[in-house]
């Protein structure tokens, strides 16, 4: 049994309250992220895929101090932005094998400043890495928000880079048939072309299987105050 969480943290450099960016107040930033960390502790998922992880030294230190004893914390920052992604692996469940960084702009002119992180892990057996334990691959990313039609096309191209480059790395590094779990903020619905691309490459929507909910649902209120089903 595997418990996986995907969570967009809403980076303080983007989060505005009454027109003021949260990043201007470290006290407010720390307070909100302490609440997030409490949720992560309470849920104690085996794998946490995080998006909009802010690469501020104070915040990175907070996550390391509060969660470093529980999780292997793997991060990847975007090249032109203050945020990025992270994958947390529960230490009592896994041993970290290897991580791999994917920069979309290196593989597509529509990659923009997006990245994906791939982490390989082996199941732990009573605190000891089992030599015969097959690896598992975990991937996270944050695709472009669909403000307009070009963004929709960019998202599709980014998803193709994600699938192609993660597959290449996993096939070069792992045995055939290695399980792959992708968790991220795709900024799309289960009916859109990105989801179709995922399914055509053999992936299934774990949330739909677990809950029986097949159609898109409202997931959040976006920065334009519109209710969206895009995660």
């Amino acid at each position: 049994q595997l418990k996986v969480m995907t969570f967009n943290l809403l980076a303080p450099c983007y989060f505005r309250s009454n027109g003021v960016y949260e990043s201007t107040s470290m006290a407010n930033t720390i307070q909100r992220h302490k609440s997030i960390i409490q949720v992560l502790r309470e849920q104690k998922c085996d794998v946490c895929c995080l998006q909009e992880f802010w690469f501020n030294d104070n915040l990175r230190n907070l996550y390391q101090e509060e969660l470093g004893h529980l999780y292997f914390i793997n991060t990847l920052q975007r090249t032109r932005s203050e945020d990025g992604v992270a994958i947390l692996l529960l230490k009592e469940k896994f041993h970290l094998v290897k991580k791999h960084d994917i920069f979309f702009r290196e593989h597509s002119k529509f990659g923009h400043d997006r990245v994906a992180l791939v982490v390989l892990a082996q199941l732990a057996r009573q605190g000891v890495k089992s030599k015969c334990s097959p690896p598992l691959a975990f991937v996270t990313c944050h695709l472009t928000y669909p403000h307009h039609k070009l963004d929709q096309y960019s998202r599709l191209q980014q998803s193709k880079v994600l699938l192609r480059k993660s597959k290449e790395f996993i096939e070069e590094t792992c045995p055939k048939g290695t399980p792959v779990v992708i968790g991220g903020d795709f900024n799309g619905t289960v009916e859109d072309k990105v989801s179709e691309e995922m399914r055509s490459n053999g992936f299934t929507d774990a949330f739909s299987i677990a809950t029986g909910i097949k159609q898109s649902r409202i997931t959040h209120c976006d920065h334009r105050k519109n209710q969206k089903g895009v995660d």
Side-chain angles (χ1 to χ4, degrees), residues 37-98:
I37 287 169
Q38 184 60 33
V39 171
L40 296 179
R41 277 209 201 101
E42 290 172 354
Q43 293 297 315
K44 201 179 179 182
C45 294
D46 302 316
V47 183
C48 301
C49 297
L50 309 179
Q51 305 85 44
E52 293 198 24
F53 184 87
W54 193 35
F55 281 77
N56 168 278
D57 288 342
N58 291 323
L59 200 61
R60 294 180 70 180
N61 291 340
L62 176 67
Y63 275 80
Q64 188 61 49
E65 290 167 4
E66 298 292 334
L67 295 174
H69 62 292
L70 290 174
Y71 288 97
F72 296 108
I73 301 176
N74 307 276
T75 62
L76 174 61
Q77 185 175 2
R78 296 162 66 187
T79 55
R80 297 179 179 178
S81 304
E82 297 178 36
D83 71 308
V85 296
I87 295 179
L88 280 53
L89 295 176
L90 192 64
K91 288 183 176 181
E92 67 184 52
K93 183 115 179 184
F94 296 107
H95 285 286
L96 177 64
V97 176
K98 195 172 185 179

Side-chain angles (χ1 to χ4, degrees), residues 153-221:
Y153 181 78
S154 297
R155 286 179 56 251
L156 181 59
Q157 299 309 307
Q158 291 164 14
S159 71
K160 291 180 178 180
V161 170
L162 166 71
L163 293 167
R164 184 176 74 253
K165 301 310 294 186
S166 60
K167 181 180 179 181
E168 287 176 5
F169 169 71
I170 293 166
E171 288 185 345
E172 289 171 0
T173 312
C174 302
K176 185 177 180 180
T178 294
V180 181
V181 177
I182 302 178
D185 183 349
F186 301 141
N187 274 321
T189 69
V190 294
E191 298 93 355
D192 72 6
K193 291 184 178 180
V194 168
S195 292
E196 289 178 6
E197 186 71 21
M198 295 282 185
R199 286 190 290 268
S200 70
N201 279 267
F203 288 91
T204 56
D205 180 7
F207 182 87
S208 294
I209 293 173
T211 64
I213 301 173
K214 304 297 182 182
Q215 71 277 10
S216 291
R217 56 221 172 262
I218 293 173
T219 58
H220 75 288
C221 180

Side-chain angles (χ1 to χ4, degrees), residues 9-24 28-29 32 52 147 221-225:
L9 304 177
L10 188 52
C13 55
Y14 306 135
F15 178 40
R16 285 173 289 186
S17 178
N18 297 320
V20 179
Y21 285 102
E22 185 185 59
S23 56
T24 61
N28 290 344
T29 295
R32 183 169 69 89
E52 293 198 24
H147 290 97
C221 180
D222 70 11
H223 56 287
R224 293 179 173 177
K225 307 302 182 183

